[in-house]
Amino acid sequence: MKNLTEKVKKNPIWKSIFRRDYRNNVRDRALAIFGNVFLHLHPVQVRESAVKLRFTWGMGGITFFSFILLVITGVVLMFYYHPSIEQAYSDIKDLEFQVPYGVILRNMHRWAAHFMVIVVMIHMFRVFMTGSYKAPRQFNWGIGVILLVLTFLLSFTGYLTPWDQLGFWAITVGTNMGAATPLLGYQGPFSEYLHITPYNDIRFALLGGAQVGANALLRSYIWHCVAIPLISIILMFVHFWRVRKDGGISRPQK
Amino acid sequence: MNPFIEIITQPDNIAIVIMIIMVTFFMGWAFLQAYQNDKLKAAGLPVEGENDRDVDTFKPLVRIELIITLAVMVGLTIWSIAVNAPLEEIANPTITPNPAKAPWYFLGLQELLVYFDPWLAGVVLPTLIVVGLIAIPYIDINPKGNGYYTFEERKYAILIFSFGFFILWLLLIVIGVFFRGPGWLWYWPWQEWDHQRVVFEPTRDLTSLVGIDSRSLAGFIIGALVVGGYFVAGMAAPYRYWKKNNPELLAQLGMVRYVTIMFLFISMMSIPIKMILRLVFLIKYVWITPWFNV
């Protein structure tokens, strides 16, 4: 067995992937982090208590993991889905009855979405309770608040995609709020002075029409699958980058 | 089936039950650690993590990340196998469900519709929440409590935030999910929903309490004075109090910060105030104008 391990490790293919053997010394432990494109998000060393679960609860990481899981299940779901009011609903039914593991796939996307909303709120609570928004991390807290809103919007835009009664009316209720926007919504205060009607107000822009219809489905689909994830990923880069640049996980000053 | 069991086991509501359990657990854990650290501080000892050393990221941190990832994956897989995501009838614009509820995380805002007009509940207040959250680091100039749990050193910040987060955000969500039935009427979870039920609740406007028509000019002026007076007094009263008792604090804050803090705080407190006005005194509007009502 040992012989075999040695052989594998000397194999040119193995060597081309892993470059060098891992020995448990300072240099190799550091290399394991900054030699790896995914792990090098971390610093090579961290404060001991920053690793403890009782401090961070791992909530930011769990949020990020939920996001990755949602991207993966979401991409697979996209293979089976047409954003048109003729097909959307039956595509979801097909997931239930035709697609292998389609039920679990859809369930996981749904529950991971709820879960992400829950943990992102608890993450915010943790960061508040440890005062981690204080200098020098003020800016990153703001990025985090925007990411929180984007998480809500990601979930909200996904609501309409099955084109069932639940999503249809949730989106109707939600976008009716847009109609009440002061100045820019047709039912909002002062909008009559800007000649705002149901056909040119902010709700019309959200739905691509005066009612929830085919355009609204297409718009929510594109916001849900392309636009908001892109914005979120960019802001996550900034968020993680600033965690590092602002001195890592916050800890008491020595 | 028992309506209470029925409502908490609806597939989407299981998430809310999980949220209640998780939030309660982590709230307790946060305040427990705050209490422990406060005791350490009071004894003149360093708080947890103050004197710790650096450790290698590989493997202690990477290991814990892997374990958490696997645990979450296992949990979500079990959840996905055990509970099926609901799919209702195909969308039909001609059949309005009663009640038509927004997604659960917006139900706190939908609940506010009972007390405020949509332009306030759905647009102005959510905007203020987001702006207010982003503003927190810039208006909270207390340098203490950075990087550890504490309560004693940041009492007011924690109390205000907890009130907003637990009561105004999460509790209203729970009310919206579990306690609102047809017509957005209040139902206890063990009560059957009755679609025929109508509650006639005569509401009035503030000025009609003193016999003045709220739509008259006098009503308009009184309403404007009450709303304006609320904001002006809310700004001025703490200012005068602190000027006398804690002038350094005011000087440190500066005028811009002070006005921002008080504006956000007064706006937040207008929510419970309006709720009490509505629920106890049956007052619908305080101020009626030709353009909007408050």
Side-chain angles (χ1 to χ4, degrees):
Chain A
M1 190 64 201
K2 210 173 174 192
N3 218 342
L4 188 68
T5 328
E6 283 304 307
K7 261 200 168 149
V8 170
K9 281 190 173 174
K10 285 209 174 98
N11 183 294
I13 299 173
W14 178 275
K15 278 191 145 176
S16 75
I17 299 171
F18 294 102
R19 296 274 173 220
R20 44 183 284 130
D21 205 3
Y22 174 79
R23 286 174 302 270
N24 195 10
N25 57 32
V26 178
R27 181 183 153 83
D28 277 14
R29 286 196 296 268
L31 264 177
I33 297 299
F34 60 69
N36 182 307
V37 66
F38 303 106
L39 290 182
H40 95 287
L41 194 64
H42 299 104
V44 168
Q45 290 201 318
V46 284
R47 294 278 291 278
E48 191 184 15
S49 53
V51 181
K52 287 200 178 128
L53 201 56
R54 53 184 281 133
F55 184 70
T56 66
W57 308 335
M59 280 299 151
I62 295 176
T63 309
F64 182 46
F65 176 64
S66 313
F67 179 79
I68 294 172
L69 199 62
L70 284 161
V71 170
I72 295 169
T73 51
V75 167
V76 182
L77 283 170
M78 282 170 83
F79 287 128
Y80 298 103
Y81 178 80
H82 304 78
S84 76
I85 52 176
E86 289 80 25
Q87 274 176 283
Y89 187 76
S90 56
D91 284 343
I92 307 294
K93 281 276 183 216
D94 277 352
L95 280 173
E96 206 171 320
F97 298 110
Q98 302 289 331
V99 179
Y101 300 107
V103 177
I104 290 188
L105 183 66
R106 175 163 173 258
N107 289 350
M108 190 168 276
H109 196 72
R110 177 95 161 209
W111 305 141
H114 284 343
F115 187 68
M116 182 174 167
V117 172
I118 297 168
V119 290
V120 80
M121 293 194 300
I122 297 177
H123 174 58
M124 182 185 73
F125 174 64
R126 191 290 284 178
V127 171
F128 183 88
M129 286 301 288
T130 54
S132 305
Y133 58 83
K134 298 186 176 194
R137 298 182 181 78
Q138 304 99 318
F139 178 72
N140 215 14
W141 166 269
I143 299 283
V145 172
I146 295 170
L147 279 167
L148 171 83
V149 175
L150 288 173
T151 307
F152 290 145
L153 292 180
L154 269 172
S155 178
F156 183 65
T157 49
Y159 239 70
L160 188 62
T161 48
W163 199 248
D164 67 344
Q165 280 287 74
L166 184 73
F168 182 89
W169 288 100
I171 297 298
T172 304
V173 170
T175 50
N176 274 342
M177 294 294 108
T181 311
L183 296 171
L184 298 177
Y186 79 96
Q187 290 169 332
F190 306 116
S191 62
E192 64 262 34
Y193 302 117
L194 296 179
H195 304 288
I196 297 289
T197 69
Y199 300 96
N200 64 4
D201 73 340
I202 197 164
R203 182 167 163 277
F204 191 92
L206 292 171
L207 295 177
Q211 286 158 10
V212 180
N215 285 345
L217 180 59
L218 186 64
R219 282 186 190 204
S220 74
Y221 175 76
I222 292 169
W223 279 116
H224 183 70
C225 302
V226 185
I228 305 179
L230 271 180
I231 301 167
S232 304
I233 288 169
I234 292 169
L235 287 179
M236 273 183 228
F237 278 134
V238 180
H239 199 59
F240 301 157
W241 173 256
R242 286 301 291 251
V243 171
R244 284 289 301 276
K245 292 291 137 183
D246 295 340
I249 304 278
S250 73
R251 294 277 53 203
Q253 311 298 315
K254 281 189 190 181
Chain B
M1 198 172 21
N2 181 328
F4 180 63
I5 305 288
E6 203 173 342
I7 200 165
I8 63 165
T9 52
Q10 268 177 24
D12 274 323
N13 290 353
I14 289 174
I16 318 296
V17 175
I18 289 174
M19 178 188 80
I20 294 172
I21 295 168
M22 284 181 73
V23 165
T24 313
F25 174 78
F26 285 109
M27 179 179 72
W29 207 6
F31 280 102
L32 177 72
Q33 292 189 66
Y35 172 72
Q36 287 166 341
N37 278 339
D38 286 342
K39 256 198 342 197
L40 287 172
K41 276 256 169 184
L45 297 167
V47 293
E48 175 165 349
E50 202 165 321
N51 294 322
D52 62 353
R53 58 200 171 91
D54 288 337
V55 291
D56 287 318
T57 305
F58 195 81
K59 300 169 186 166
L61 180 59
V62 178
R63 185 196 296 125
I64 205 169
E65 285 174 346
L66 182 70
I67 293 170
I68 292 178
T69 307
L70 289 174
V72 172
M73 192 68 220
V74 168
L76 280 172
T77 307
I78 293 171
W79 190 358
S80 305
I81 292 170
V83 188
N84 279 342
L87 183 65
E88 295 190 356
E89 296 292 305
I90 191 166
N92 186 344
T94 59
I95 302 176
T96 313
N98 185 6
K101 289 188 181 183
W104 62 269
Y105 36 82
F106 290 150
L107 281 186
L109 300 174
Q110 198 177 352
E111 177 69 20
L112 290 185
L113 284 173
V114 178
Y115 310 100
F116 293 96
D117 276 1
W119 67 279
L120 275 171
V123 185
V124 174
L125 289 172
T127 310
L128 281 179
I129 294 172
V130 174
V131 172
L133 281 174
I134 293 177
I136 286 176
Y138 303 102
I139 54 182
D140 175 9
I141 54 169
N142 175 7
K144 288 183 189 159
N146 185 349
Y148 52 96
Y149 293 92
T150 175
F151 179 70
E152 286 294 321
E153 292 178 351
R154 318 173 36 218
K155 267 185 216 151
Y156 296 109
I158 288 175
L159 281 177
I160 295 169
F161 182 85
S162 297
F163 180 70
F165 184 58
F166 293 112
I167 309 288
L168 294 184
W169 185 254
L170 294 175
L171 183 68
L172 289 192
I173 288 176
V174 172
I175 289 175
V177 173
F178 294 123
F179 297 91
R180 291 298 184 180
W184 211 253
L185 295 176
W186 184 280
Y187 283 86
W188 295 103
W190 52 86
Q191 267 181 318
E192 283 309 332
W193 282 6
D194 175 7
H195 285 265
Q196 317 303 331
R197 185 176 147 208
V198 181
V199 173
F200 180 68
E201 212 178 25
T203 56
R204 52 205 170 170
D205 298 326
L206 183 73
T207 51
S208 42
L209 285 186
V210 288
I212 294 170
D213 181 11
S214 56
R215 283 163 204 284
S216 65
L217 184 64
F220 171 82
I221 292 170
I222 293 174
L225 286 176
V226 170
V227 174
Y230 170 67
F231 275 88
V232 171
M235 292 271 177
Y239 187 84
R240 282 191 55 182
Y241 176 79
W242 276 329
K243 193 93 202 167
K244 216 168 108 189
N245 294 301
N246 197 349
E248 302 104 72
L249 178 76
L250 272 186
Q252 265 175 14
L253 274 176
M255 211 49 192
V256 176
R257 270 203 204 93
Y258 175 81
V259 170
T260 315
I261 292 173
M262 290 320 295
F263 175 72
L264 290 168
F265 182 71
I266 295 167
S267 306
M268 180 166 118
M269 293 317 287
S270 72
I271 295 171
I273 289 174
K274 191 79 198 286
M275 284 177 163
I276 292 169
L277 284 180
R278 177 74 173 72
L279 295 174
V280 180
F281 300 102
L282 298 176
I283 287 169
K284 188 163 164 65
Y285 291 122
V286 174
W287 181 25
I288 293 199
T289 79
W291 311 279
F292 59 84
N293 305 324
V294 177

